[in-house]
Amino acid sequence: MYIMKILVLGGDKRCIYAAGELARTAQVDMFALAGHNARPAGKYDCVLLGLPCSRDNVTVNAPMYDRTVTLEEAVGFVRGGGMLLGGMLCPSLLRLCDEKGVRCEDYYRRESFILKNAVPSAEGALAVGINSTEGQIMGAEVLITGYGRIASLLAKYLSALCANVTVVCRSEEQRTKALINGLKAIDFPQLGGEMKRFSLVYNTVPAEVIGGYEISNAKKGAVYVELASSSGIDLAEANRYGLAVINAQGLPAKTAPQTAGRIIAEEAESILKSMNIE
């Protein structure tokens, strides 16, 4: 019986846990992770990169490694007919895979991954909010910008703790869903007049949606928690008015790496199976 060979290359603590999960059914090597710095000599059926796969579009994202591994090197570890998997695949890596005829897929773009990952993201966001505010969550006025997968789950958790949750989004459909789920819902033009109510603000929109007008009307002592990949707030204005801003991007890696690693491994196994790489 053939045993698949997988190289887990770079990434953070999630990848260590992912390697452990994959090792149940495959031969797994690790490189550019803590304690795993010996350069692989052979080729692999699958090379698994972290999330994101790269931060500079040139080298592999490997925060636990004190040297660099180029994306071209990563592609070179894949055998003919093998596959490269990673999170948030960058254009340069996609181009390299195309040039060298290597199949690749972005597990971060799969709906199943996004839904599973929303749980540790929302739980981590809840913990950040609880630990960053001076008051209790019960009875607190909380604002969430957007109402996607993470935001809707976070709203559910906050409501279970008896917070008064308001959702702000442009989509009438999303506002309707929020109302159906027992939340308050407003559009962005209304936000400036409402800001003085909220002691805790979560942003899930990857674009600036809270500017100087909203910040100037914010409640004194309010806390803003950034969950989106791009800032949703005017940071200069936030600093000017003394609004506390907490960067909480990439929470699963910080608050639940074991679960997040298992999710990566599950997606990798599913992709490899669907591509008949077993």
Side-chain angles (χ1 to χ4, degrees):
M1 179 180 177
Y2 181 73
I3 305 282
M4 185 184 297
K5 293 179 62 178
I6 298 175
L7 176 64
V8 177
L9 175 56
D12 51 36
K13 200 172 181 180
R14 288 174 290 188
C15 284
I16 295 176
Y17 284 111
E21 292 289 327
L22 292 168
R24 298 173 188 269
T25 57
Q27 177 187 326
V28 178
D29 292 336
M30 290 185 276
F31 176 46
L33 278 161
H36 298 275
N37 297 332
R39 183 173 291 273
K43 301 274 188 174
Y44 292 83
D45 301 302
C46 173
V47 172
L48 177 66
L49 305 181
L51 173 62
C53 67
S54 175
R55 294 192 181 279
D56 60 6
N57 297 321
V58 177
T59 61
V60 171
N61 175 30
M64 295 184 173
Y65 189 51
D66 60 2
R67 302 176 190 175
T68 59
V69 181
T70 67
L71 294 175
E72 187 168 7
E73 287 178 283
V75 175
F77 288 126
V78 183
R79 69 160 174 82
M83 192 165 197
L84 182 142
L85 302 176
M88 299 175 69
L89 298 186
C90 56
S92 58
L93 181 56
L94 292 172
R95 185 171 59 253
L96 280 168
C97 287
D98 183 59
E99 290 172 354
K100 296 182 181 297
V102 171
R103 289 184 291 179
C104 63
E105 186 158 341
D106 191 334
Y107 55 75
Y108 184 72
R109 295 176 64 88
R110 288 166 61 91
E111 184 67 13
S112 54
F113 177 87
I114 295 169
L115 289 171
K116 292 175 186 175
N117 209 51
V119 176
S121 297
E123 287 185 2
L126 181 63
V128 169
I130 290 173
N131 292 324
S132 302
T133 51
E134 295 291 319
Q136 65 183 29
I137 291 296
M138 178 183 285
E141 295 289 340
V142 182
L143 174 72
I144 302 177
T145 64
Y147 198 61
R149 302 170 190 86
I150 294 174
S152 58
L153 193 55
L154 176 58
K156 183 177 180 180
Y157 290 161
L158 287 163
S159 295
L161 292 176
C162 300
N164 299 316
V165 181
T166 298
V167 170
V168 56
C169 45
R170 292 190 175 90
S171 167
E172 184 178 355
E173 179 182 346
Q174 287 187 325
R175 293 198 301 273
T176 301
K177 286 180 179 178
L179 290 169
I180 290 172
N181 288 323
L183 308 172
K184 298 175 184 176
I186 61 175
D187 199 351
F188 280 101
Q190 301 169 262
L191 183 55
E194 298 285 335
M195 282 293 291
K196 60 183 178 294
R197 291 198 293 115
F198 306 115
S199 58
L200 180 58
V201 178
Y202 288 99
N203 178 61
T204 69
V205 179
E208 189 175 300
V209 290
I210 298 180
Y213 175 61
E214 289 80 15
I215 295 168
S216 67
N217 288 324
K219 184 176 182 178
K220 185 177 180 180
V223 173
Y224 171 94
V225 180
E226 184 62 77
L227 301 176
S229 55
S230 299
S231 180
I233 192 169
D234 185 325
L235 292 172
E237 288 296 290
N239 183 62
R240 176 186 171 195
Y241 284 97
L243 179 64
V245 176
I246 297 174
N247 184 348
Q249 298 165 321
L251 278 176
K254 302 170 185 175
T255 60
Q258 183 179 36
T259 299
R262 189 190 70 240
I263 292 169
I264 290 173
E266 288 173 353
E267 292 304 306
E269 289 174 335
S270 177
I271 293 168
L272 293 171
K273 186 175 182 180
S274 69
M275 296 293 181
N276 296 315
I277 302 178
E278 299 186 74

